Amino acid sequence: MMGEVDYPGYAYGALVALGGVMGYVKKRSVPSLVAGVACGSLALYGAFSVSSNGKTASSIMPALGTASVLTAAMGARALKSGKIMPAGVVALISLGMMTRYGVMMYNLQTRS
């Protein structure tokens, strides 16, 4: 079943991957490159899953899981460093996406 295209999810995944590339370009940080591209790819897969499989629990979980992990990891990093850029911004955007996918999941539960 084809669902609506998850444009915010695709934008989020691209932004996360681009952030990893920018971390490498600016600071030559290989861990930023690897983590950014890996997490961005997972987020893009989540958006693809939501888009192609409709809004089912199994299609939402990859996107929700990725956004949740990034919220926690980047939020902790932002708190530790005290800097809003880039970790705080990624944590806030991830929190928004986690909320979005959480609401999708909640709506599935209430429809059943």
Side-chain angles (χ1 to χ4, degrees):
M1 171 171 121
M2 186 70 170
E4 296 175 26
V5 176
D6 184 15
Y7 291 114
Y10 283 118
Y12 171 65
L15 184 72
V16 171
L18 183 62
V21 171
M22 289 303 298
Y24 177 75
V25 168
K26 285 187 161 201
K27 306 260 183 175
R28 294 287 181 235
S29 172
V30 173
S32 287
L33 177 65
V34 172
V37 171
C39 290
S41 296
L42 287 171
L44 287 168
Y45 171 74
F48 172 78
S49 182
V50 169
S51 297
S52 62
N53 297 331
K55 292 178 180 161
T56 64
S58 62
S59 70
I60 296 170
M61 282 311 293
L64 179 60
T66 302
S68 299
V69 167
L70 277 172
T71 298
M74 296 306 272
R77 189 171 164 202
L79 289 173
K80 184 178 176 185
S81 71
K83 296 179 182 175
I84 193 74
M85 274 302 281
V89 172
V90 173
L92 288 173
I93 294 169
S94 297
L95 179 62
M97 292 305 291
M98 184 178 79
T99 302
R100 180 174 184 271
Y101 291 124
V103 168
M104 281 183 193
M105 191 69 83
Y106 175 78
N107 288 336
L108 285 176
Q109 306 289 322
T110 56
R111 273 193 266 157
S112 301

